Amino acid sequence: MGLEREWMRGAAPLAVLTLLQRRAMYGYELVEALEEGSGGLLAMGQSTVYPLLYNLEERGLLSTRWDRAPSGRRRKYYD
């Protein structure tokens, strides 16, 4: 496994938990915040972020709730 992949493996969960400590976010919002907040360094697709979120939830490090966006669409928020 390359150094970059190892770095992402450790930095990504920490970055996610740090963002969620500030406020709850839904998945796509989190993807955008990670990319923007890291200057593109933590640019991850949804196929990477969602398994990470499921793993953190399974380990009891975050919780989820369903809520409605202003558009009326249901979204799963992570906090």
Side-chain angles (χ1 to χ4, degrees):
M1 198 177 287
L3 182 60
E4 183 177 317
R5 189 167 176 167
E6 281 295 320
W7 185 86
M8 282 287 287
R9 184 183 235 175
L14 181 59
V16 166
L17 292 172
T18 299
L19 283 173
L20 294 178
Q21 221 176 17
R22 296 178 189 158
R23 68 181 173 90
M25 294 184 191
Y26 58 93
Y28 185 71
E29 181 181 26
L30 188 56
V31 168
E32 289 182 326
L34 284 167
E35 184 171 356
E36 185 179 311
S38 69
L41 201 59
L42 289 174
M44 293 183 257
Q46 293 179 24
S47 62
T48 303
V49 169
Y50 283 108
L52 172 61
L53 290 169
Y54 300 148
N55 181 281
L56 292 172
E57 181 182 11
E58 186 176 287
R59 293 170 49 198
L61 297 172
L62 59 81
S63 59
T64 62
R65 63 181 165 80
W66 286 95
D67 205 350
R68 294 224 179 259
S71 66
R73 182 178 178 194
R74 287 188 67 206
R75 289 189 172 144
K76 187 175 189 178
Y77 284 84
Y78 298 88
D79 47 13

